[in-house]
Amino acid sequence: MSAVVAQSHFIFGLRSGVRNNLCFYDEHTVVFPSGNTCVCYNTAQRCQRFIPGSETSQGMRALAISANRRYLAVSECGERATVTVFDLHHEQGRKRKVLTAGDALAGEFVSVAFSPDSKYMIGQTGGPQWMLIFWLWEKQKILATVKTSEPNNSVTQVSFSPHSNTQVCVSGRGVFKLLRYSEGFLKQCGHPKVESVDILCHTWASGERAIAGTDKGRLLVFESGELRGEINVTSTAAQGQSDRQAEMKKIRGNDVGEGPRITAILSYSKGFACSLGPGTVCLFEKTQLDGYRRSREIRIPSDPRTNELTPAECQEIDTMCISPAEGTLAISTDRRQLYSFSLSSVEIHKEEHFQFLLQSFHSKSITGLSVCVRKPLVATSSLDHSVRIWNYETKLLELYKEFQEAAHSVALHPTGLFILVGFSDKLRLMNLLIDDIRTIKEFTLRGCTECAFSHGGHVFAAVSGNIIHIYSVTSFENIRNLKAHNAKVRGIEWSLNDTRLVSCGMDGAVYEWNTQTGKRESESVLKSCSYTDVAFSSDFQTILAVGTDLTLKEIQDCQVLKEVPADEVAHTTVAVSHSGRVIFTGTSSGTVRAIKYPLSLEKEWIMYQAHCGPVTKMVITFDEQFLLTTSEDGCLMMWKVIDKEGQELKSNRQIIYSEEILVTKSDLEEKNQNMLELTTRLEELQMENEYQLRLKDMNYNEKMKEISDKFIQQIESLKTMQQAMKTEMERQAREHQESSAEAAVKHSKELKGLELSSSQKLIVEHKRHQDLQHKYQKMQEDYEKQLRAMEERKVQSLEELTQLSEAKLQEKSRLLVQCEEEARQQVREFKEFTRQVENDEERLTHDIRVQYEKQLHTERQINTNLKGESDLMKQKLYGLQRRMDDRSTDIDKLKQERQRLLGLIHSLESDIEDLKRQISGHESNNQDKDQTICNLKKKNQELEKLKFILDFQLSELNNKAKTQEDDINEKKQQLHQLEEELVQIDKSNTQLKVTISDMGLKLRTKDKEMHKERLIAQDTETHLQRLKSDLHDCVGFIQEPRKLKESVQTIYARYVSQADVVKKSSVDEDIQKAFTRQRDYQEKIVNSLKARLARAAAEHEKVNMKMMKEKETLFTKNNELRKELNLARARVKNHVDQLAVLKKSQMSDRAAKKGPEFEGDN
């Protein structure tokens, strides 16, 4: 593994497409998704901690925080959707539980929510099922599920009632349901007619009341699941949104509805807050009449950099949340921005605006990334038409500017005072001023996707299509153009001394250029790979490149030294640490990998969950403290580069950052002028304020006198009123005493009259009670007589019934005894039959085993002798063995059937025992006994059927065994025929081998004779050449006959002798005879061999085919060995070059040492 690791430090960006993507953990900490992680950001300390997503996740869909602010639920989609619950009290956000949809097929959960006591959770799956799942999440138990919508109507939000764990609300397009959990089911309460209403959000106002917002700008009030009314949102402020709505239509290109869309709603103690159109939040407070009143309106501020209506104030609000103490309101928008507003402000202004919660983020894919040397600045460009300058030490956005078109590339000057930005039609060189980015020079380069300053900052390289242009920073001249790529250039990088530049393109080429001459120093072309990024190693001797072939390549001297595979994920970017200890790569899945350097063939890397889209750019700061990555998800991530012990890397580069900034002269003069004007204005205001304060003091003193006089008069009048009130109180007390005495006398008289009347009524009621008691006694005596008579009748009827039942029981018992005897007889017969069947099966199996063992023994002996076609026979034997296995399986099946029958017998015996028990008891009815007898008869019939089936199966097995024996005999005959053919083939092969050896001997003898003849011919040729030379000499004596004669005689004496003539004639005759004999003999042999060769041709063709295949394998191995040899030679050449360089350097050092010594001697 890599000795250097990366640790998440800070992130700028918000992930879109996540439901409820912003929530408060405490008063100063918010949680939001960014990249593939959840970020806990403390607004007071300006620090972040991270909760990484799962590795198999395909994206987050929803967040939810529990009511006690301890647990965070994250919904992630994939092959199987999951909801992961994290403990926020743990520092790393420890994972508590992972919830799934159980047996239901769910690809995602679009919304999740915790219950008020944080014990239960609900999750809404996506379409087309739209299932709501109710969990007891700590035990990972699903309590209930219910389908909430039709496939065409989508559900957008689910929530618990804040006062009940069993009441749930579901809303969406044409859906608003109030469900209650009871007895393992979710049951709907009420059926409001909202099929034509698109409900975008809802919130709970009380235990039974819910408020929902629609796409038409309506606020609907539901109570107990029924639609009760609508809150009127039309006012002067709401009507003032018409211009903004029209602008939103132009920007978005679609109709947003009749009224402002209500995309988010949130309840709090004083009322509720809702979004009312783009960029606007309205607060509604409760009234005494159980209604709501619109109290405040908060807007997203417009962009101060432009005077026109920009998308900043036309953003739709996705999520709203409020802090636990209800002091801060935070929102997230569809352009990936976070805003906050303090609700505790006492002064209510006419126009209240949100402020950025963290910083202004990119809203689209980031295309460019660059750092400088002299300042801790990072520049990013994006498809949202903006360029942003970040400070990675203070974690602040230093500068920000929007343009008319998208920026495709960016490069910071090493001093941090200039910036290059590439657009679709031009390249701009700009100054970084104190509060603005201003253009210096525009270059006509179309589609500049890559640009980079040299390390010295005197030149820069810019890419336009497949051409690399090099410009001077001081003169703005085009120094040279580098042309070699056949497709778009995707990556460039300068060497440390700025003499070399490396580039890669979509054509699969990596070129190393000499920037002084404009020529290529090395190249590596792989057309099957489209490269995406390239970088120099730390020593600038090798090149590292990544592309679409899923490998990281190390290239040196036009050759690929090493390739590291990437596990089915393509690398998109690469960055090398200046110390050369680690290589960082970004992938198409959004992960970042730290790979140990030098590279090894093994997969040694550490993988980090980073972004939710492909990583577009990656860079390491000059002091090697931070790694910066950007992605298509619009997020900028900062990683702290540390070793495994957690300590910062010690870099040899000690950098002192400069604090200089650029300011134009006009701006400085304007600011100075403004300062003077403001100081004079301040003095004037101070004078005016002093004068106004004096006037106010005088006015206040006069008013105080008037007020004090008025209060004195009021006090005196109040004293007189108090005296009058006391006298009135005394008079009323006397009147009250007199009236109470009169009321007491009247009450005593009424009580006496009531007592007399009640005593008379009691005497009458007592007499009636005595009469009723007499009647009751008479009735009771009559009922007792009737009961006695009924008992006597019942005894008589019981005796008659017992006699009849005893007679019937005797008859049935006799029938049962007969049935038992018959059943026993059938059981005996069945046991005898099963015993015979088992014996027959054992004999058959034993005979079959003996036969097969003999056959296998003979076949094994035969197989040892067979050649050539033995493989075919083995396959046939394997087929026979399979059939044997089939037969054994059939036997096993028969045994299983026998066991089943034994089980039936045991069950019958148990039934018989049950019948005995039923006979012994007298409480069973006669109908039950008749049914048991019928059941026994049916079972006996079934046994007879089974016996018939078994007999039929045995007969079929015997027939199959006979057919198999016939097949085995046929196979034996075929084997014997093949053995005979093999013997004949062996004989013919031995004869051919003998003839081939004879022919080889004869050919060797002929070769020897031919060698002798060739020697004789060479000797004769030498003699002829000598003779020619001598004859040439004789030609010189043509004019002198005597010398000519003597020379001819000497030649004759030298070259001609009688023995030679005789020998030559004899030799010629012998040669002719031997030649004729040899020719006749060879013709006979050839004729005899033609027939044999024709026979052996077929066999030799097989051998030749094998030889050809072996040659092909040898050729491939030979080619591989040649490639390895070439690589080894290249390495040896490199080592030799390095040794030569070392020797030259040593010689130069020695010469340098000797030089001063020699001068000293002189």
Side-chain angles (χ1 to χ4, degrees):
M1 290 294 177
S2 172
V4 179
V5 296
Q7 184 179 12
S8 300
H9 184 63
F10 209 83
I11 188 165
F12 298 97
L14 175 68
R15 181 169 182 169
S16 60
V18 180
R19 184 74 185 177
N20 194 25
N21 60 358
L22 181 65
C23 49
F24 272 95
Y25 168 55
D26 56 30
E27 194 64 27
H28 300 289
T29 306
V30 291
V31 181
F32 60 90
S34 183
N36 200 29
T37 59
C38 287
V39 181
C40 298
Y41 174 64
N42 190 305
T43 57
Q45 299 176 0
R46 301 186 63 81
C47 62
Q48 294 179 350
R49 62 186 179 100
F50 304 91
I51 302 170
S54 61
E55 294 181 2
T56 57
S57 169
Q58 295 178 5
M60 296 182 191
R61 286 294 177 268
L63 297 183
I65 195 165
S66 60
N68 58 7
R69 311 283 177 177
R70 178 172 181 177
Y71 302 111
L72 177 71
V74 181
S75 163
E76 295 176 309
C77 64
E79 293 181 0
R80 193 173 185 187
T82 59
V83 177
T84 308
V85 182
F86 296 95
D87 189 353
L88 294 178
H89 287 186
H90 196 267
E91 289 184 0
Q92 281 80 28
R94 183 167 59 89
K95 188 184 290 186
R96 287 291 300 267
K97 299 292 179 183
V98 178
L99 308 176
T100 62
D103 297 332
L105 296 173
E108 61 177 354
F109 287 98
V110 296
S111 181
V112 291
F114 280 98
S115 62
D117 60 357
S118 305
K119 291 182 180 179
Y120 303 96
M121 187 189 291
I122 53 174
Q124 176 65 56
T125 66
Q129 287 84 12
W130 301 111
M131 296 293 293
L132 181 68
I133 300 173
F134 192 92
W135 288 289
L136 180 62
W137 68 267
E138 288 184 343
K139 295 183 179 180
Q140 295 177 318
K141 183 179 179 182
I142 296 175
L143 300 179
T145 59
V146 67
K147 187 173 182 180
T148 55
S149 177
E150 297 299 325
N152 295 328
N153 292 338
S154 60
V155 176
T156 56
Q157 185 182 356
V158 295
S159 65
F160 272 100
S161 170
H163 304 289
S164 174
N165 292 335
T166 59
Q167 202 165 2
V168 177
C169 183
V170 180
S171 66
R173 185 187 294 118
V175 178
F176 189 89
K177 294 182 179 180
L178 197 67
L179 305 173
R180 196 180 296 276
Y181 174 74
S182 64
E183 298 177 355
F185 295 98
L186 286 166
K187 299 177 182 178
Q188 185 173 355
C189 303
H191 296 276
K193 295 180 180 180
V194 292
E195 289 79 8
S196 61
V197 181
D198 188 1
I199 297 174
L200 302 179
C201 55
H202 73 262
T203 187
W204 290 87
S206 62
E208 294 291 333
R209 176 182 291 183
I211 303 172
T214 70
D215 62 337
K216 305 293 184 183
R218 300 171 63 192
L219 281 173
L220 306 178
V221 181
F222 295 87
E223 287 188 5
S224 302
E226 296 292 341
L227 181 60
R228 299 298 183 191
E230 182 176 349
I231 298 173
N232 187 12
V233 297
T234 58
S235 66
T236 56
Q239 290 170 2
Q241 296 291 323
S242 60
D243 296 335
R244 189 180 295 229
Q245 284 294 114
E247 189 66 25
M248 274 296 292
K249 289 181 183 180
K250 291 178 183 177
I251 291 169
R252 297 183 178 274
N254 59 359
D255 190 4
V256 295
E258 296 175 355
R261 285 162 55 91
I262 299 173
T263 54
I265 191 168
L266 173 71
S267 62
Y268 66 108
S269 60
K270 294 181 180 179
F272 69 92
C274 71
S275 65
L276 200 64
T280 305
V281 173
C282 293
L283 302 183
F284 289 82
E285 292 184 356
K286 294 178 184 176
T287 60
Q288 294 179 354
L289 300 173
D290 202 14
Y292 293 94
R293 166 179 75 83
R294 186 167 167 180
S295 60
R296 300 172 78 174
E297 183 175 312
I298 312 158
R299 294 185 180 182
I300 295 173
S302 60
D303 192 349
R305 292 166 181 80
T306 57
N307 296 322
E308 299 177 358
L309 185 69
T310 61
E313 55 184 325
C314 295
Q315 304 175 72
E316 278 199 351
I317 296 166
D318 283 344
T319 305
M320 288 194 298
C321 63
I322 197 165
S323 61
E326 296 185 354
T328 305
L329 176 68
I331 63 169
S332 66
T333 68
D334 60 344
R335 286 177 58 81
R336 302 177 182 175
Q337 304 298 326
L338 296 176
Y339 296 94
S340 66
F341 179 78
S342 177
L343 296 174
S344 59
S345 59
V346 178
E347 295 182 0
I348 300 174
H349 304 285
K350 292 182 179 179
E351 287 191 3
E352 296 177 311
H353 295 288
F354 285 101
Q355 294 179 350
F356 282 111
L357 181 65
L358 179 57
Q359 299 292 338
S360 173
F361 300 144
H362 283 293
S363 60
K364 291 184 181 179
S365 173
I366 298 175
T367 56
L369 176 68
S370 180
V371 295
C372 61
V373 180
R374 296 298 310 280
K375 291 185 178 182
L377 299 180
V378 184
T380 57
S381 61
S382 173
L383 296 178
D384 61 1
H385 301 186
S386 69
V387 173
R388 297 168 196 258
I389 310 298
W390 314 83
N391 191 316
Y392 56 79
E393 282 197 340
T394 60
K395 305 179 187 66
L396 293 174
L397 180 65
E398 297 278 343
L399 281 175
Y400 158 56
K401 187 168 184 178
E402 281 193 1
F403 297 91
Q404 295 296 324
E405 53 189 342
H408 298 290
S409 61
V410 70
L412 270 177
H413 194 269
T415 60
L417 300 175
F418 310 101
I419 188 171
L420 272 173
V421 182
F423 298 94
S424 59
D425 59 344
K426 65 190 71 159
L427 175 69
R428 293 178 182 175
L429 178 64
M430 294 184 278
N431 281 328
L432 292 180
L433 303 179
I434 188 170
D435 57 355
D436 194 10
I437 302 173
R438 293 186 186 176
T439 304
I440 305 171
K441 175 71 176 176
E442 290 186 353
F443 303 91
T444 56
L445 292 179
R446 291 187 176 276
C448 181
T449 56
E450 293 290 334
C451 58
F453 279 101
S454 63
H455 289 88
H458 58 289
V459 293
F460 66 85
V463 173
S464 176
N466 59 350
I467 302 172
I468 303 170
H469 304 273
I470 297 177
Y471 286 88
S472 172
V473 175
T474 54
S475 63
F476 307 136
E477 292 180 358
N478 187 0
I479 299 170
R480 57 184 51 85
N481 297 327
L482 308 179
K483 299 178 181 180
H485 288 280
N486 296 322
K488 285 185 179 180
V489 177
R490 297 293 300 276
I492 57 173
E493 185 174 350
W494 292 86
S495 64
L496 186 62
N497 56 6
D498 296 334
T499 58
R500 291 181 296 154
L501 184 138
V502 65
S503 64
C504 68
M506 297 177 69
D507 55 354
V510 175
Y511 296 132
E512 186 178 357
W513 306 85
N514 188 325
T515 57
Q516 305 294 328
T517 61
K519 295 181 180 179
R520 284 178 285 173
E521 290 190 352
S522 66
E523 62 181 26
S524 174
V525 181
L526 184 63
K527 292 184 178 180
S528 61
C529 173
S530 177
Y531 288 107
T532 55
D533 199 9
V534 68
F536 276 110
S537 62
S538 59
D539 57 358
F540 295 93
Q541 297 298 319
T542 59
I543 299 167
L544 297 159
V546 294
T548 57
D549 61 347
L550 310 183
T551 58
L552 168 65
K553 296 182 179 64
E554 186 177 10
I555 303 168
Q556 185 179 8
D557 295 335
C558 307
Q559 292 184 355
V560 178
L561 298 182
K562 290 178 183 176
E563 289 187 2
V564 179
D567 284 346
E568 299 181 358
V569 178
H571 293 296
T572 55
T573 58
V574 62
V576 184
S577 67
H578 304 301
S579 62
R581 295 168 60 185
V582 67
I583 297 171
F584 292 102
T585 62
T587 66
S588 59
S589 63
T591 58
V592 174
R593 293 179 178 177
I595 304 172
K596 186 179 179 181
Y597 189 78
L599 298 175
S600 62
L601 296 176
E602 297 179 359
K603 300 174 182 178
E604 293 187 2
W605 62 61
I606 302 173
M607 189 164 65
Y608 305 98
Q609 295 294 318
H611 298 277
C612 60
V615 179
T616 54
K617 295 292 177 182
M618 177 182 290
V619 68
I620 298 174
T621 58
F622 195 73
D623 58 357
E624 211 171 5
Q625 296 298 313
F626 295 103
L627 169 72
L628 306 169
T629 61
T630 60
S631 171
E632 290 182 4
D633 59 5
C635 295
L636 169 64
M637 285 195 75
M638 292 172 54
W639 306 79
K640 203 168 185 64
V641 181
I642 56 175
D643 57 13
K644 282 196 172 180
E645 285 75 23
Q647 298 178 356
E648 295 183 356
L649 296 180
K650 294 181 180 179
S651 177
N652 296 324
R653 303 175 176 181
Q654 293 182 355
I655 302 169
I656 299 172
Y657 294 123
S658 64
E659 297 181 355
E660 294 82 5
I661 55 172
L662 291 178
V663 181
T664 61
K665 188 177 180 181
S666 60
D667 289 342
L668 192 61
E669 290 175 352
E670 285 179 5
K671 285 183 180 178
N672 290 329
Q673 186 65 31
N674 290 329
M675 287 286 289
L676 290 170
E677 291 176 357
L678 288 170
T679 51
T680 55
R681 178 68 177 159
L682 205 153
E683 290 174 356
E684 290 174 358
L685 286 170
Q686 284 178 351
M687 295 289 289
E688 288 180 2
N689 284 328
E690 288 176 358
Y691 179 68
Q692 292 291 334
L693 284 170
R694 287 172 190 165
L695 290 174
K696 285 180 180 178
D697 287 337
M698 293 171 67
N699 292 325
Y700 285 141
N701 288 327
E702 291 176 356
K703 287 180 181 179
M704 283 288 288
K705 286 179 181 179
E706 292 176 357
I707 291 166
S708 60
D709 293 337
K710 286 180 181 178
F711 276 124
I712 289 166
Q713 292 174 2
Q714 288 177 1
I715 288 164
E716 290 176 353
S717 63
L718 287 170
K719 282 180 180 178
T720 55
M721 286 174 68
Q722 187 180 6
Q723 190 67 30
M725 290 289 287
K726 281 182 180 179
T727 55
E728 186 69 22
M729 285 284 288
E730 289 174 356
R731 186 178 61 77
Q732 287 181 358
R734 287 194 296 272
E735 290 176 355
H736 180 68
Q737 287 177 358
E738 291 173 357
S739 62
S740 61
E742 291 176 357
V745 172
K746 287 180 182 178
H747 183 64
S748 61
K749 290 178 180 178
E750 288 176 356
L751 276 173
K752 288 177 182 177
L754 288 170
E755 284 177 358
L756 290 170
S757 61
S758 61
S759 61
Q760 291 174 0
K761 287 179 182 179
L762 281 170
I763 291 164
V764 173
E765 291 294 330
H766 181 66
K767 289 180 181 178
R768 288 178 65 189
H769 180 66
Q770 286 179 353
D771 295 334
L772 289 169
Q773 277 185 346
H774 290 300
K775 288 180 181 179
Y776 175 71
Q777 288 176 359
K778 289 179 182 179
M779 291 284 287
Q780 194 172 6
E781 290 174 358
D782 293 335
Y783 279 121
E784 285 177 357
K785 290 177 182 178
Q786 289 177 4
L787 284 170
R788 290 192 197 100
M790 291 290 287
E791 284 179 358
E792 290 176 357
R793 291 174 190 167
K794 186 178 179 181
V795 168
Q796 290 177 1
S797 61
L798 280 170
E799 288 177 355
E800 292 175 358
L801 287 169
T802 49
Q803 289 175 1
L804 289 169
S805 61
E806 284 177 357
K808 288 181 180 179
L809 279 170
Q810 288 176 359
E811 291 178 0
K812 297 296 180 183
S813 60
R814 183 171 54 76
L815 289 169
L816 278 170
V817 170
Q818 290 178 2
C819 290
E820 284 178 358
E821 290 177 356
E822 291 175 358
R824 286 170 187 164
Q825 185 65 31
Q826 288 175 359
V827 168
R828 290 193 205 99
E829 291 175 357
F830 184 73
K831 285 181 179 178
E832 183 65 26
F833 173 71
T834 52
R835 187 177 59 77
Q836 290 176 1
V837 169
E838 286 175 356
N839 293 329
D840 293 337
E841 287 175 356
E842 287 176 357
R843 286 195 207 96
L844 286 168
T845 52
H846 180 71
D847 294 338
I848 289 165
R849 282 177 185 168
V850 170
Q851 288 177 3
Y852 283 135
E853 285 176 358
K854 289 178 181 178
Q855 289 175 5
L856 285 169
H857 182 67
T858 54
E859 285 171 359
R860 283 172 184 167
Q861 289 178 352
I862 291 164
N863 284 329
T864 54
N865 298 324
L866 286 173
K867 292 178 182 178
E869 294 183 0
S870 61
D871 296 332
L872 296 171
M873 300 311 298
K874 282 179 182 178
Q875 290 177 1
K876 293 176 182 178
L877 283 170
Y878 291 150
L880 290 171
Q881 286 178 356
R882 289 193 200 98
R883 290 181 182 176
M884 285 173 64
D885 294 333
D886 294 336
R887 297 296 168 269
S888 61
T889 53
D890 293 335
I891 291 162
D892 293 333
K893 287 178 182 178
L894 288 170
K895 286 181 179 179
Q896 289 175 1
E897 287 179 358
R898 185 172 67 78
Q899 289 177 357
R900 189 170 64 80
L901 291 170
L902 289 170
L904 284 170
I905 291 163
H906 290 304
S907 64
L908 288 169
E909 288 177 353
S910 63
D911 291 336
I912 291 164
E913 289 176 357
D914 293 334
L915 288 169
K916 286 180 179 178
R917 292 192 199 98
Q918 288 175 3
I919 291 164
S920 61
H922 295 285
E923 295 176 358
S924 62
N925 295 323
N926 293 324
Q927 293 178 358
D928 296 334
K929 291 178 182 179
D930 293 333
Q931 288 177 0
T932 52
I933 291 162
C934 293
N935 290 328
L936 285 169
K937 287 180 180 179
K938 288 178 182 178
K939 288 178 181 178
N940 286 326
Q941 289 175 1
E942 288 176 358
L943 287 169
E944 289 176 357
K945 289 177 182 178
L946 287 169
K947 179 182 176 183
F948 178 74
I949 290 164
L950 287 169
D951 292 334
F952 182 72
Q953 288 179 353
L954 283 169
S955 63
E956 284 184 348
L957 286 169
N958 290 323
N959 294 325
K960 287 180 181 178
K962 287 178 183 178
T963 55
Q964 286 176 358
E965 286 176 358
D966 295 335
D967 292 335
I968 290 163
N969 292 324
E970 288 178 0
K971 299 297 180 186
K972 284 180 180 179
Q973 290 176 2
Q974 290 178 2
L975 284 169
H976 288 301
Q977 290 176 2
L978 290 168
E979 284 176 358
E980 290 175 357
E981 290 177 359
L982 281 170
V983 170
Q984 290 177 1
I985 289 164
D986 290 332
K987 288 178 181 178
S988 64
N989 282 330
T990 51
Q991 288 176 1
L992 288 169
K993 286 178 183 177
V994 171
T995 53
I996 287 163
S997 62
D998 292 338
M999 290 298 291
L1001 291 170
K1002 289 175 182 178
L1003 285 170
R1004 289 191 199 99
T1005 53
K1006 286 179 183 178
D1007 289 334
K1008 289 178 181 178
E1009 290 175 357
M1010 288 292 289
H1011 185 65
K1012 289 177 182 178
E1013 291 296 328
R1014 284 172 184 165
L1015 291 172
I1016 292 164
Q1018 288 176 1
D1019 293 335
T1020 54
E1021 284 179 359
T1022 54
H1023 284 293
L1024 282 169
Q1025 288 176 358
R1026 290 174 186 171
L1027 181 62
K1028 285 178 182 179
S1029 63
D1030 292 336
L1031 286 171
H1032 185 68
D1033 294 335
C1034 289
V1035 170
F1037 300 110
I1038 289 173
Q1039 301 297 329
E1040 297 176 359
R1042 188 180 294 172
K1043 288 182 180 179
L1044 181 63
K1045 185 179 179 182
E1046 288 176 358
S1047 62
V1048 169
Q1049 285 177 356
T1050 53
I1051 288 165
Y1052 183 76
R1054 188 185 296 170
Y1055 293 105
V1056 179
S1057 64
Q1058 195 66 32
D1060 291 334
V1061 174
V1062 174
K1063 267 184 191 177
K1064 200 175 269 188
S1065 62
S1066 63
V1067 166
D1068 291 336
E1069 291 175 358
D1070 292 335
I1071 286 166
Q1072 286 177 358
K1073 289 179 182 178
F1075 179 76
T1076 53
R1077 285 198 303 273
Q1078 196 69 24
R1079 186 179 64 188
D1080 295 334
Y1081 180 71
Q1082 284 181 357
E1083 285 176 355
K1084 291 178 182 177
I1085 290 167
V1086 167
N1087 292 325
S1088 62
L1089 286 172
K1090 279 181 181 179
R1092 293 179 184 176
L1093 284 168
R1095 294 173 190 170
E1099 296 177 357
H1100 287 297
E1101 282 180 1
K1102 295 179 181 177
V1103 176
N1104 287 327
M1105 289 297 290
K1106 290 180 181 178
M1107 291 293 288
M1108 288 295 288
K1109 289 179 181 177
E1110 290 175 356
K1111 283 181 181 178
E1112 288 177 359
T1113 55
L1114 287 169
F1115 276 126
T1116 54
K1117 289 179 181 177
N1118 196 3
N1119 291 326
E1120 291 175 357
L1121 290 169
R1122 283 177 181 170
K1123 289 179 181 177
E1124 291 177 359
L1125 271 171
N1126 291 326
L1127 289 170
R1129 285 172 183 168
R1131 289 174 185 168
V1132 169
K1133 186 179 178 182
N1134 292 331
H1135 289 304
V1136 169
D1137 295 334
Q1138 290 175 2
L1139 284 170
V1141 172
L1142 286 170
K1143 285 180 180 178
K1144 287 180 182 178
S1145 64
Q1146 289 175 359
M1147 291 293 286
S1148 62
D1149 292 334
R1150 288 174 186 170
K1153 288 178 182 177
K1154 286 178 181 178
E1157 289 176 1
F1158 182 74
E1159 290 175 2
D1161 293 333
N1162 291 331

